[in-house]
């Protein structure tokens, strides 16, 4: 039993670190759209310094609060990442690990490269905001970013390849234990890696880095979409036969962060192609339609999942109640994803097209809705951390399910 975890350690615990990193990014998005950064794709240290050289006490206070939140959640991300790495190393050396890798739960190992990819994104944001002059040498940093995502991508493909070849060659995949969307987790990981490659495609001024970023994006985007197309019918068919697995309820929302990642990836790639390769611009109305459709898809998926989980008393039992499930951390990324994609829709879709005036009452009201989503997400994180990151009282080697019947594959 790994210390510092309230139930028997499983790789799904990496989702705790993933959620913290996502929250840091969600607060960065405010700065990206509200702090002026002419000529640059994202704000950096010099733009933040310009805010404090100007006038407006309220603006300075709000920026300071936002920076503090970014730093706090980034720090928590690193803390939980290190804790998970140490715990996973112990788990990987145990006899239980060999048995774990012969079950459907093996797919949950993809939570590791998923979280590593988030770590690179968090480091990128921290460097841009808090290190003076770093953005000025960004062209020297993009090769390292590309190498990092290539290494993470290779690791993800290695884990996924072993899992896929095992279930296809040994035929020991439990087809009935798929009445949830846990098996779509590889698509989430591949989408996160694709988004990382797309950062170089959008932000580099060097054509070579842009093209490499595009090619990396295409590879992992294709992998993500392909696995979704394969696994969704299987999981949905199992749900029709057996009903939704209650303890895996958060997997109903896994598509929400995937939609956000797809949206950001396509935006970055399109921007890189338009600005660096074609030297043109994309009409703002395109992004109104594009992000509007993605937000609508998230709303539909969110309401459907909420209705099912509410009917099954998931929130009552696993969030407010005493039942413990590591898969509950899968609720954090959807909250983060909704907040992030909503900001892209608001600013790229509504403000850029002059449908909504910047800092108008409607604009501020929309941002208030985003803030409410973040507050609810943070409150959920606090509850889950209290339940799932406490010191364990169970015996070493026990399943420590503490009242829940969580399937090992119930990842989100």
């Amino acid at each position: 039993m790994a210390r510092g975890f309230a139930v028997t350690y499983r790789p799904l615990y990496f989702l705790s670190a993933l959620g913290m990193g996502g929250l840091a990014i969600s607060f960065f998005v405010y700065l990206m759209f509200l702090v002026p950064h002419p000529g640059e794709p994202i704000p950096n240290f010099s733009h933040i310094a310009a805010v404090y050289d100007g006038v407006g006490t309220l603006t300075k206070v709000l920026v300071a609060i936002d920076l503090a939140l970014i730093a706090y959640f980034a720090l928590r991300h690193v803390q939980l990442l290190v804790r998970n790495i140490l715990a996973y190393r112990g788990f990987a050396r145990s006899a239980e690990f060999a048995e774990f890798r012969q079950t459907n739960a093996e797919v949950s190992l993809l939570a590791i490269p998923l979280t590593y990819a988030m770590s690179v994104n968090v480091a990128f944001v921290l460097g841009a905001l808090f290190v003076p002059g770093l953005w000025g040498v960004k062209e020297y940093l993009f090769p390292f970013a590309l190498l990092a995502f290539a290494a993470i991508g290779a690791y993800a493909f290695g884990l996924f390849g072993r899992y896929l070849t095992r279930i296809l060659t040994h035929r020991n995949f439990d087809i009935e234990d798929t009445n949830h969307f846990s098996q779509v987790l590889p698509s989430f990981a591949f989408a996160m890696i694709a988004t990382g490659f797309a950062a170089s495609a959008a932000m580099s001024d060097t054509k070579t880095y842009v093209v490499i970023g595009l090619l990396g994006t295409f590879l992992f985007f294709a992998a993500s979409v392909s696995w979704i197309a394969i696994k969704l019918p299987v999981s949905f068919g199992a749900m029709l036969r057996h009903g939704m697995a209650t303890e895996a309820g958060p997997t109903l929302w896994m598509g929400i962060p995937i939609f956000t990642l797809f949206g950001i990836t396509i935006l970055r790639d399109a921007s890189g192609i338009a600005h660096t390769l074609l030297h043109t611009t994309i009409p703002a109305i395109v992004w109104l339609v594009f992000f509007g459709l993605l937000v609508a898809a998230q709303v539909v998926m969110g309401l459907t999942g909420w209705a099912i989980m509410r009917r099954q008393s998931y929130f009552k039992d696993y969030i407010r109640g005493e039942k413990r499930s590591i898969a509950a951390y899968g609720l954090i990324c959807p909250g983060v994803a909704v907040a992030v994609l909503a900001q892209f829709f608001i600013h790229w879709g509504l403000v850029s097209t002059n449908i909504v005036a910047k800092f108008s009452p409607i604009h501020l009201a929309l941002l208030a809705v985003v803030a409410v989503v973040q507050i609810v997400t943070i409150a959920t994180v606090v509850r889950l951390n209290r339940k799932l990151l406490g010191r364990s009282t169970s015996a070493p080697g026990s399943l420590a399910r503490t009242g829940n019947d969580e399937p090992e594959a119930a990842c989100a």
Side-chain angles (χ1 to χ4, degrees):
M1 168 63 72
R3 297 186 61 183
F5 298 94
V7 300
T8 296
Y9 183 82
R10 290 294 182 270
L12 280 185
Y13 259 118
F14 272 90
L15 297 180
S16 62
L18 177 72
M20 292 298 181
L23 283 168
I25 298 298
S26 73
F27 283 103
F28 166 73
V29 176
Y30 284 104
L31 301 179
M32 189 169 72
F33 287 117
L34 302 179
V35 171
H37 47 95
E40 299 290 354
I42 63 171
N44 55 58
F45 183 88
S46 62
H47 301 119
I48 301 301
V51 170
Y52 288 95
D53 287 338
V55 296
T57 302
L58 179 60
T59 299
K60 295 176 182 178
V61 171
L62 291 176
V63 169
I65 292 173
D66 198 68
L67 289 172
L69 289 169
I70 293 170
Y72 170 76
F73 286 113
L75 176 61
R76 291 290 291 145
H77 167 75
V78 173
Q79 290 174 335
L80 289 172
L81 178 65
V82 171
R83 186 191 295 190
N84 271 279
I85 291 173
L86 295 176
Y88 175 71
R89 289 176 62 185
F91 175 58
R93 292 192 296 265
S94 68
E96 194 176 7
F97 183 67
E99 180 182 351
F100 168 83
R101 298 200 75 171
Q102 298 303 314
T103 68
N104 288 11
E106 183 183 9
V107 77
S108 65
L109 290 172
L110 271 295
I112 302 174
L114 169 63
T115 306
Y116 288 167
M118 174 62 78
S119 298
V120 178
N121 292 327
V122 171
F124 186 84
V125 166
L126 293 178
L129 292 179
F130 295 103
V131 180
L134 187 65
W135 191 255
V137 295
K138 61 184 175 70
E139 295 304 320
Y140 296 100
L141 301 178
F142 281 122
F144 295 100
L146 290 169
L147 286 173
F149 283 113
I152 295 169
Y155 179 47
F157 274 146
L159 293 174
F160 179 71
R162 185 195 183 283
Y163 161 74
L164 185 61
T165 54
R166 177 183 63 78
I167 63 176
L168 293 181
T169 58
H170 296 290
R171 295 183 294 179
N172 59 348
F173 182 77
D174 186 355
I175 193 67
E176 298 305 318
D177 181 27
T178 56
N179 56 333
H180 42 73
F181 291 128
S182 301
Q183 296 294 317
V184 182
L185 182 62
S187 292
F188 190 4
F190 295 149
M192 183 71 77
I193 297 168
T195 304
F197 273 106
S200 296
M203 300 179 195
S204 177
D205 299 322
T206 304
K207 285 187 178 181
T208 301
Y209 302 156
V210 172
V211 172
I212 293 174
L214 288 172
L215 294 177
T217 297
F218 297 160
L219 175 63
F220 287 96
F221 191 93
S224 180
V225 173
S226 298
W227 190 244
I228 288 174
I230 291 170
K231 275 301 178 181
L232 275 185
V234 175
S235 294
F236 194 70
M239 283 188 276
L240 290 177
R241 293 192 301 272
H242 306 293
M244 176 68 195
T246 302
E247 64 282 352
T251 65
L252 292 165
W253 283 351
M254 195 187 300
I256 294 177
I258 292 177
F259 279 137
T260 294
L261 293 172
F262 281 177
I264 296 173
T265 298
I266 292 172
L267 169 66
R268 287 176 170 179
D269 281 358
S271 298
I273 292 171
H275 298 159
T276 307
L277 302 182
L278 300 180
H279 306 290
T280 187
T281 58
I282 300 173
I285 194 66
V286 170
W287 302 120
L288 170 65
V289 176
F290 178 66
F291 287 118
L293 288 172
L294 287 177
V295 169
Q298 286 185 331
V299 170
V300 171
M301 183 169 291
L303 291 176
T304 302
W306 177 82
I308 294 171
M309 285 187 280
R310 182 173 179 271
R311 184 67 176 266
Q312 294 183 324
S313 299
Y314 184 88
F315 303 109
K316 177 182 177 182
D317 294 337
Y318 290 92
I319 306 301
R320 297 187 297 271
E322 296 300 321
K323 290 187 177 182
R324 295 175 179 177
S325 169
I326 309 172
Y329 275 118
L331 296 174
I332 307 307
C333 281
V336 169
V338 166
V340 170
L341 191 65
Q343 290 236 43
F344 277 88
F345 173 65
I346 292 168
H347 294 100
W348 281 79
L350 299 177
V351 174
S352 295
T353 55
N354 297 315
I355 294 173
V356 173
K358 193 171 185 178
F359 298 125
S360 66
I362 296 177
H363 182 213
L364 295 178
L366 291 172
L367 291 179
V369 173
V370 173
V372 169
V373 172
Q374 289 176 299
I375 291 170
V376 172
T377 303
I378 292 170
T380 304
V381 167
V382 172
R383 285 179 178 269
L384 292 177
N385 286 347
R386 288 175 179 172
K387 291 179 63 174
L388 297 172
L389 292 180
R391 297 186 63 179
S392 172
T393 57
S394 58
S398 67
L399 289 180
R401 291 182 178 177
T402 60
N404 70 323
D405 296 317
E406 176 187 2
E408 296 288 1
C411 47

